[in-house]
Every structure is written in structure tokens, then in C-alpha cells.
Amino acid sequence: MLHPFKLNNIRINNQKYKVNFKEDFLENIKIMDSVFGKYLERIYDEGFIIIKESNLQEGFFIELPYTKKGFIYSGCIGDIDDYFNTIHEIGHLYHQYITSNVEYKNRCNSLEIKEFVAHSFEALLVRQFSSEKVKKIYEIQQISSVLWNVVLFEFQKIIYRNPNDYLFSEEKERIFVDLLKKYTHSYLYNTNKYDILLGSTWMYESMLFETPFYNCEYIYAQINAVDILNNHQRSLEEIKNNFKNGKNINIKSLEQVL
């Protein structure tokens, strides 16, 4: 995802960052959940977790259909997002791990729940093991991403409701810039200096083409992540207790139990 904070150039003094699986993740996760940590180490050694340098920053998690093992790929370009993205994908693996003994239909596998658990996991790990500077960057990222995802939702809503009115890229770019200036880049309201740059950024969002409206699933999860980051009462046990037994949980019921 192309976060607006990247366009705003919020960085840790332009510091380069290189992900180290064992130091950044494995040892810390063993402290959070020793059993999962050992499982994570085993599947990493077996080649089911790939973290590598790439020209494209991306990541994904899938559950392999035959072995039922999780597979993680994280492509890294050398900045702090590599750290956040890899934690996020490990969070998806954690969700699969704690529900692996539950019948599939009872796993709470809706997209909104999957993103809720992954974001909760990443926020817990950042809160417990990251520096104050990294925590602040993470918080800014989550808050700005909520607004960014609102932009993407509104953009798709307009396009799909009025497809014949926005056939050409120039028309789409104009709508997208207007939404950016409303929600995420209001400081650009009185200038068109960056309109050409910003107008085409929606094309970097592969989800708009692959899974329309998926970005909506991030919004509640990111708001929850900010709460976890600032609320030390929230714990990993909370996640395990709510999901390991296959309760019929949705976002509305989560608001009542958390």
C-alpha cells in the first residue's frame, strides 16, 4: 500500500533499515508467545518464510492448501516499512496458527477479522519492543492510512456508481486529487504544484484492480492498532482467547468484548 506519509516524507532521519528476521522478530515473538515462536522458527528454517531485498516493497501471507502451513513473502526496499510489513504478515500467520485446530467454517475468517488480528499483532509487537521513535512513526502511519483508505473507498464508490462519467485516466485523476486534498493532503488545497504527481498514485494500489474495496477492511483494524499502541491493558492473550476457540466473532461483537 502506498501510504500518504510516504508522500509527506516522514522518515527516521532518512535512515536506512535492514530487516533481520531473528533479531527483529523471532527472539521478540518467543518472549510474547514461546510456543508460536518455536513454530515460527521451524517453518522459517523449512523455507516457508522468505524475506528478501526487492525493487518493490510488498508482502503477502497464504495458507497452503495441502500442508495447511502458512507461507510468508516480504519484499524489502530498505526502509522502516519493511519492518512493519513483515510483522503484519507474521500477524496473519499467527491468526492461522491460533485457529488451526478449529473447523474451517468456525475460524472467523472474514477479511475484516483477518486484518483485525494482523494489525493487533503488529501493534503489540511494536509497542513492546520498538523505540519511541519507531512507535511514533507507526502511529502516524496507522492514522494517515485510515484517511488514505477512506480516500480509496470514496474514489471507488464514485467510479463504480458512475462508470460512464470517468472513462479516461484524466477524469479519474481529477477526482482522486480532489479526495486527497479533502482527506489527506489538505495543505495542498491552494496549489496545483503536485496535482500531476498525486493524481496517478491510485494506480499504485494493486488492490483496486485485484480486490476492489478491500482497503475498507483496514480502517477499523488500524484504529484498533492505534488503541493497542497506547493502551497497555491490551495483550496477546486477548487475541488468543477471542479467536482460538472459533467463536462467532464479527467487528460489531468485537466492539463489545474489547
Side-chain angles (χ1 to χ4, degrees):
M1 184 186 298
L2 181 65
H3 296 287
F5 86 103
K6 284 195 169 187
L7 300 178
N8 297 346
N9 198 31
I10 296 174
R11 281 290 181 268
I12 304 179
N13 298 324
N14 296 316
Q15 177 181 340
K16 288 290 185 179
Y17 190 92
K18 186 171 184 178
V19 168
N20 183 303
F21 177 76
K22 292 194 173 181
E23 291 181 7
D24 289 334
F25 309 114
L26 186 58
E27 298 307 318
N28 293 334
I29 288 170
K30 283 182 177 179
I31 295 172
M32 293 174 66
D33 186 327
S34 60
V35 179
F36 176 65
K38 292 176 182 177
Y39 171 75
L40 190 67
E41 184 172 31
R42 186 171 78 249
I43 66 168
Y44 177 77
D45 291 339
E46 292 173 353
F48 289 93
I49 299 175
I50 296 175
I51 302 172
K52 61 184 294 185
E53 292 184 10
S54 173
N55 292 325
L56 179 64
Q57 191 172 57
E58 61 178 350
F60 64 84
F61 163 81
I62 59 171
E63 181 178 351
L64 300 175
Y66 180 72
T67 64
K68 301 301 180 184
K69 288 184 177 179
F71 176 86
I72 290 173
Y73 171 81
S74 183
C76 302
I77 63 172
D79 69 18
I80 193 66
D81 278 356
D82 298 337
Y83 175 64
F84 297 144
N85 292 347
T86 305
I87 298 172
H88 181 82
E89 301 309 331
I90 294 174
H92 281 303
L93 175 64
Y94 189 73
H95 182 212
Q96 186 250 359
Y97 170 78
I98 62 177
T99 59
S100 59
N101 293 323
V102 178
E103 190 176 356
Y104 190 82
K105 66 180 182 180
N106 296 323
R107 278 196 194 177
C108 303
N109 262 344
S110 67
L111 294 177
E112 60 186 9
I113 294 298
K114 287 180 177 180
E115 294 302 335
F116 180 91
V117 176
H119 279 85
S120 297
F121 185 90
E122 70 184 52
L124 286 164
L125 195 132
V126 168
R127 188 188 75 192
Q128 187 167 346
F129 298 106
S130 297
S131 68
E132 291 302 316
K133 191 175 286 187
V134 171
K135 289 178 189 176
K136 190 63 179 177
I137 290 292
Y138 178 77
E139 184 174 39
I140 292 171
Q141 185 206 56
Q142 297 307 304
I143 294 171
S144 61
S145 293
V146 168
L147 297 173
W148 181 253
N149 286 316
V150 170
V151 168
L152 295 175
F153 170 75
E154 292 294 333
F155 177 68
Q156 291 175 92
K157 187 172 68 172
I158 292 170
I159 298 301
Y160 283 117
R161 283 181 174 177
N162 310 280
N164 294 328
D165 294 337
Y166 303 102
L167 295 175
F168 301 103
S169 61
E170 293 85 358
E171 296 162 342
K172 294 183 177 70
E173 289 173 9
R174 177 176 55 81
I175 290 296
F176 197 67
V177 168
D178 288 345
L179 289 169
L180 287 175
K181 289 182 178 180
K182 179 178 179 180
Y183 290 104
T184 66
H185 291 76
S186 59
Y187 57 88
L188 297 178
Y189 187 79
N190 294 318
T191 176
N192 60 4
K193 181 178 179 181
Y194 298 104
D195 285 8
I196 295 176
L197 168 65
L198 292 172
S200 62
T201 52
W202 66 271
M203 297 182 187
Y204 291 93
E205 291 286 350
S206 60
M207 287 182 181
L208 299 189
F209 305 98
E210 298 167 355
T211 49
F213 293 100
Y214 188 101
N215 298 76
C216 301
E217 312 300 347
Y218 290 119
I219 295 173
Y220 183 80
Q222 290 168 329
I223 294 172
N224 176 69
V226 173
D227 182 68
I228 289 176
L229 190 69
N230 294 285
N231 183 353
H232 288 261
Q233 304 273 330
R234 308 282 299 276
S235 68
L236 197 62
E237 286 300 312
E238 171 191 288
I239 298 175
K240 291 173 67 175
N241 292 336
N242 279 311
F243 294 100
K244 68 181 180 181
N245 295 321
K247 295 179 182 178
N248 184 21
I249 291 179
N250 55 39
I251 289 298
K252 187 172 182 179
S253 62
L254 277 175
E255 292 175 350
Q256 299 171 354
V257 300
L258 298 181

